[in-house]
Amino acid sequence: MGNYYVGLDAGSTYLKAALIKDNCVLGAELLPTGIDCEETAGKLLEKIYASQSITRNDIAVITATGYSRRSIGLADATISEITAHACGVQLTAPENVHPRLIIDIGGQDSKIISLGPDGHIVNFTMNDKCAAGTGKFLEVVADLLETTIDQIASLAKESTDPCQINSTCAVFAQTEVISLLAQKKSRSDILAGMHIAMANRIAKMARKYKSDGDVMMTGGGAKNDALRLALEDELMCDIYKANYPQYNGAIGAALIGMRNAEKEFKKS
């Protein structure tokens, strides 16, 4: 048996893989999830193996998490998303940052996870019923404004007069964006308003939990500095971006796989 560990996070938009050894992240890759999660997982593992010049025989355990984790037959074990994300921050938190509240913004949902002083899960909540407050919401708005998800943060920062977005529903918000365009509002002001509206929705979830420690963002949304700054304004505190933010769940799954394997080894 090898001494590398792989975590797979099967999200609705992307499937992510992380490779760890000795509590260090050695590599991370992602691919669009596609219609065949098992096939995508196989391709992703080949990318991971090639990046480190290793083979499946070098892998001790593959652990899957995410929505489609049970459809990945090549995984040796599965773990819940919440558990994986809570564990992942142990490796992804920046130096001297001690997360007590995780804000995870994914493609189709957003999660708030409250942690105890020792990192155990105290409570959590998820928004997976509506696209508002998720990466998909911003993707839809970006398409309407003829820009890309990678450009929206920089455009929002150029705003001088953010638009007020009243709709909390993603569908109605699209109609509101079209109306604002008809009023000749700038893309920057519309995007700034959308980030503020999204931050307001996520902050309402986060305020349910009192945090005596640091607040950290994970998921693809953590790469959006405009959203992070809007959340800082809403919650009136510093919010730190995880290292490997989009891979936090996969890293957590790999770490759990490693620790479970170590426990089994000690028993034997």
Side-chain angles (χ1 to χ4, degrees):
M1 185 173 71
N3 54 356
Y4 293 85
Y5 296 84
V6 170
L8 295 171
D9 183 3
S12 57
T13 307
Y14 289 102
L15 203 157
K16 287 84 67 179
L19 180 73
I20 70 169
K21 180 183 178 183
D22 300 328
N23 284 318
C24 293
V25 179
L26 300 181
E29 300 281 353
L30 62 75
L31 287 172
T33 302
I35 59 174
D36 189 334
C37 198
E38 177 84 359
E39 182 181 353
T40 304
K43 292 177 180 177
L44 202 49
L45 288 173
E46 289 303 320
K47 288 184 70 176
I48 282 282
Y49 300 158
S51 70
Q52 298 295 318
S53 300
I54 59 176
T55 69
R56 176 63 179 90
N57 292 333
D58 296 305
I59 308 299
V61 179
I62 298 173
T63 307
T65 189
Y67 280 131
S68 304
R69 61 186 180 273
R70 291 186 177 86
S71 66
I72 302 178
L74 49 76
D76 301 304
T78 61
I79 196 76
S80 77
E81 296 168 75
I82 301 300
T83 303
H85 279 282
C87 191
V89 298
Q90 295 174 27
L91 289 187
T92 64
E95 189 175 2
N96 297 322
V97 173
H98 307 286
R100 293 289 297 277
L101 194 69
I102 302 169
I103 300 176
D104 179 76
I105 312 298
Q108 297 285 1
D109 71 12
S110 49
K111 311 176 190 71
I112 308 294
I113 306 171
S114 174
L115 303 177
D118 61 353
H120 74 276
I121 299 167
V122 174
N123 212 332
F124 70 92
T125 188
M126 294 178 65
N127 163 37
D128 58 359
K129 304 298 183 185
C130 174
T134 71
K136 189 64 179 177
F137 180 47
L138 290 175
E139 272 188 29
V140 170
V141 174
D143 286 342
L144 280 173
L145 296 176
E146 297 181 353
T147 185
T148 66
I149 195 74
D150 295 327
Q151 294 176 310
I152 59 174
S154 57
L155 284 170
K157 288 179 181 179
E158 295 174 4
S159 171
T160 56
D161 185 19
C163 295
Q164 182 173 341
I165 308 295
N166 299 309
S167 301
T168 57
C169 169
V171 175
F172 291 132
Q174 291 178 57
T175 304
E176 198 164 355
V177 169
I178 293 170
S179 175
L180 290 168
L181 285 171
Q183 297 171 41
K184 305 298 183 183
K185 299 293 184 180
S186 73
R187 287 195 303 179
S188 293
D189 288 344
I190 295 172
L191 283 168
M194 297 305 290
H195 280 86
I196 292 168
M198 186 171 172
N200 178 265
R201 185 181 181 93
I202 296 166
K204 285 180 181 177
M205 296 167 57
R207 288 192 191 102
K208 295 177 184 178
Y209 308 111
K210 183 180 178 182
S211 174
D212 296 324
D214 296 323
V215 181
M216 197 170 88
M217 276 185 78
T218 64
K223 299 191 295 181
N224 183 326
D225 282 340
L227 179 58
R228 183 178 58 81
L229 292 172
L231 274 167
E232 286 187 338
D233 288 342
E234 287 287 337
L235 295 174
M236 294 184 291
C237 68
D238 292 329
I239 298 178
Y240 300 94
K241 181 175 75 172
N243 298 318
Y244 301 99
Q246 204 164 358
Y247 300 94
N248 186 68
I251 291 168
L255 188 57
I256 290 168
M258 184 188 75
R259 289 177 178 171
N260 287 343
E262 288 173 347
K263 287 177 185 177
E264 290 300 316
F265 179 76
K266 288 178 181 178
K267 286 180 183 178
S268 63

